[in-house]
Amino acid sequence: MSYKRVTLSHFLLQEQRRRGGTGTFTTLLTDIRTACKMISHEVNRGALAGNLGAAGAENVQGEQQKKLDVLANEIFLHMNELGGSYAGMASEELEGVHQVHGAAGRYLLLFDPLDGSSNIDVNISVGSIFSILRLPDGLDPSSEQAFLQPGVQQVAAGYALYGSSTMLVLTTGEGVNGFTLDQNVGVFVLTHPDMRIPADTDEYAVNASRERYWEPAVRRYVEECKAGKDGPRGRNFNMRWVASMVAEVHRVLCRGGVFLYPADSENLAKGGKLRLMYEANPMAFIIEQAGGRASTGRQRLLEVQPTSLHQRVGVILGSANEVARLEAYHGEQDGR
Ligand code: P6P
């Protein structure tokens, strides 16, 4: 094995020197890196550590928390509070803003500590998603208002995927890079430099059991994919659905594809299924930085103006030409 590898720490320091940075990003991401290593360890131990099963409580979303949801949330809060980089934090698992007492940090951290946790008990990949914003001048970091910034304001975003290997994929606004955890040495190693999404794809991911709720534009797109080479697309498509957004987005990043969880007639009253601030926005930032496109079907996701911390939104993201096609279908449906 060659040890001429670039670790995440070296990569961040190289980026810092290249950009003439102050070391802020290095500090911001250091504690997130450690939290993800700890969560990877607990996820990988699974049943051996008694980590599977329900925690016996509901989260702010009204969902049954898994034991690992609670543990991952505690790890993210504790590790990132110690570093002092953040003035405040927001978590999928917490109703309100988590105040960081005595914080001098100028950044805000938002995260879904363990996304896809319904898959844990059946050993399917899960992940952590994070988004970093600046604390706006003059706003109180303990107020929800400070967090309600559109996705274009993110300074960094990423995810950890606890799969067959543990990976950390992140962007600080200059492309997307993927790191694989060397479990024996305990360091993340740069294994996927400058990740790019092909503009075209033959693969789509959607929960097909929701077809009866879809808008006509989504139904049209999926029907054309299903019609394959005998239909208007003139080629066959493949469908995937893992029910773990981090795993789906990672597959799209690695080989192209389009991921759809659109707002539909059943979830529209809530705004959709996926959460804007700590699922859709960080993933949209990553997808765009890798040359893809991320939309609600009618609007660029990163330009959605948030109105509440846990608001939900329709998500269509991935290969640029396919997302553009879906946006065109929504436009035709709306008569635009
Ligand atoms: P469904 C996981 O709960 C999640 O938030 C995403 O990770 C995933 O893409 C989606 O929900 C799965 O939803 O309707 O298939 O259970």
Side-chain angles (χ1 to χ4, degrees), residues 112-281:
D112 181 355
L114 205 62
D115 182 72
S117 54
S118 60
N119 289 311
I120 289 171
D121 296 352
V122 293
N123 204 12
I124 290 174
S125 300
V126 294
S128 304
I129 310 171
F130 62 89
S131 170
I132 301 175
L133 295 168
R134 285 187 181 81
L135 171 64
D137 292 338
L139 287 190
D140 176 357
S142 65
S143 74
E144 192 169 296
Q145 191 55 43
F147 288 77
L148 299 183
Q149 305 174 41
V152 289
Q153 297 297 329
Q154 294 174 100
V155 294
Y159 60 80
L161 176 60
Y162 312 115
S164 47
S165 60
T166 288
M167 285 195 67
L168 189 63
V169 174
L170 62 89
T171 183
T172 57
E174 294 192 6
V176 177
N177 291 281
F179 302 81
T180 302
L181 180 61
D182 180 331
Q183 305 272 5
N184 298 318
V185 181
V187 294
F188 278 105
V189 176
L190 179 64
T191 50
H192 297 63
D194 192 23
M195 299 180 82
R196 304 293 295 169
I197 302 177
D200 296 300
T201 182
D202 300 339
E203 195 159 70
Y204 65 101
V206 69
N207 180 343
S209 70
R210 303 186 62 85
E211 180 174 4
R212 63 189 183 282
Y213 304 130
W214 293 340
E215 290 196 74
V218 173
R219 192 189 301 273
R220 173 184 173 189
Y221 178 81
V222 173
E223 286 305 317
E224 289 181 353
C225 289
K226 285 161 60 178
K229 61 182 174 29
D230 304 325
R233 301 300 305 272
R235 67 180 195 271
N236 291 334
F237 282 73
N238 201 12
M239 194 198 95
R240 288 284 183 272
W241 191 247
V242 180
S244 181
M245 185 185 195
V246 178
E248 313 269 16
V249 168
H250 189 69
R251 186 189 59 246
V252 167
L253 260 180
C254 290
R255 68 186 192 208
V258 58
F259 168 83
L260 302 94
Y261 213 117
D264 59 34
S265 59
E266 188 270 343
N267 64 35
L268 187 61
K270 292 183 294 186
K273 156 88 175 187
L274 302 176
R275 292 80 170 181
L276 174 64
M277 298 305 294
Y278 40 78
E279 289 177 339
N281 272 346

Side-chain angles (χ1 to χ4, degrees), residues 291-313:
R293 196 176 175 102
S295 172
T296 63
R298 295 181 169 85
Q299 180 182 11
R300 183 186 177 205
L301 266 172
L302 292 181
E303 292 177 350
V304 174
Q305 177 55 53
T307 54
S308 69
L309 200 54
H310 298 296
Q311 80 181 64
R312 298 169 189 257
V313 70

